[in-house]
Amino acid sequence: MTRLQARTRVRTHINEVDTQTKWTDIELNDYIGQAADDVHRRVARVAPEQLSSTISTWTWPADTEYQDITGTNKLTVAGSDFVRVLKVKFSTASGTFGSSNVPTTIPFVGVDELPTLYGGGTYYTGASYHCAISGVNLYIAPYATTTLYLQIQWIAPLVAMTADSDNLLGGKLPNTHKIICIKAALMALTKTREKNAQLDAEEEKAEAEFEDEFSSDRTSGPTFMSDPYGATWRQ
């Protein structure tokens, strides 16, 4: 399903096929993009094998507890950080990974488990490491006394659609396109309700100000005042 087809379906959901007066194409494109990104992240969490993954290699300095794994030459695409890290492998030998340099998988654990497994500040020179992800940081324990060469398999962020001919989720997972359109429609309707609620609050405030300005005790008729010099003033 292309973005144009998705936008047409969203307009059907929000009953705006003919008029198209409340929501612009730009607004609906934004909601469709947000919904697609949300679905992509959910699939990455529960069924990552359904998505394409990327392999990156980089160096882990000795005596390092953790590193930010985003940024230049790391797990970032077009300014967006990774969606999920699937697997981390290491070798103590530099060079291309292959039959003569087979990397070893590092098991994942919770970041809170690392001190329990090894104790804080423990150094190690063998092969039994564990790793954990917390935010954008990758932890490897215990600390390695030598440089490690990592191979990381990860899922990149969804590439944003820029044209109406672009396909949802890059043309993959067609069974999820329906829920993307529904979620985008709900976003549009929710935004409208928020605007209506704001207008209702502003109207209520304006009505209160109107009542205060033109209340009965202030509009019962003119008030006459006298000054010490005998003049009568109408207020």
Side-chain angles (χ1 to χ4, degrees), residues 123-138:
Y123 286 80
Y124 190 71
T125 57
S128 297
Y129 294 103
H130 286 82
C131 66
I133 298 285
S134 179
V136 297
N137 293 322
L138 171 65

Side-chain angles (χ1 to χ4, degrees), residues 13 21 65 98 112 152 162 166 175 205 208 219 221 224 227 235:
H13 288 317
T21 56
E65 179 184 8
D112 295 335
I152 301 180
T162 59
D166 290 344
N175 292 337
K205 180 181 178 182
T219 59
F224 293 91
D227 67 10
Q235 186 180 49

Side-chain angles (χ1 to χ4, degrees), residues 34-160:
Q34 291 182 51
D37 184 67
D38 178 67
V39 168
H40 179 260
R41 290 179 180 276
R42 288 171 61 187
V43 173
R45 188 168 60 248
V46 300
E49 69 281 358
Q50 298 293 324
L51 301 173
S52 299
S53 60
T54 301
I55 300 293
S56 295
T57 57
W58 45 286
T59 302
W60 185 273
D63 303 338
T64 301
E65 179 184 8
Y66 68 90
Q67 282 200 83
D68 182 339
I69 55 177
T70 60
T72 305
N73 299 324
K74 295 184 181 179
L75 312 189
T76 300
V77 174
S80 298
D81 298 336
F82 65 93
V83 171
R84 181 176 177 182
V85 174
L86 302 176
K87 192 173 293 185
V88 177
K89 297 182 179 181
F90 85 98
S91 173
T92 56
S94 61
T96 304
F97 292 109
S99 57
S100 60
N101 186 16
V102 179
T104 302
T105 298
I106 305 178
F108 276 102
V109 296
V111 69
D112 295 335
E113 298 177 67
L114 292 177
T116 304
L117 286 169
Y118 296 106
T122 301
Y123 286 80
Y124 190 71
T125 57
S128 297
Y129 294 103
H130 286 82
C131 66
I133 298 285
S134 179
V136 297
N137 293 322
L138 171 65
Y139 291 77
I140 293 181
Y143 301 171
T145 56
T146 60
T147 299
L148 301 181
Y149 301 93
L150 301 185
Q151 182 186 76
I152 301 180
Q153 181 182 6
W154 56 290
I155 295 177
L158 182 65
V159 177

Side-chain angles (χ1 to χ4, degrees), residues 12-42:
T12 301
H13 288 317
I14 60 181
N15 297 318
E16 203 186 53
V17 176
D18 298 322
T19 57
Q20 300 186 11
T21 56
K22 290 184 179 180
W23 296 275
T24 66
D25 286 351
I26 293 176
E27 288 175 314
L28 294 185
N29 289 344
D30 183 53
Y31 298 143
I32 292 168
Q34 291 182 51
D37 184 67
D38 178 67
V39 168
H40 179 260
R41 290 179 180 276
R42 288 171 61 187

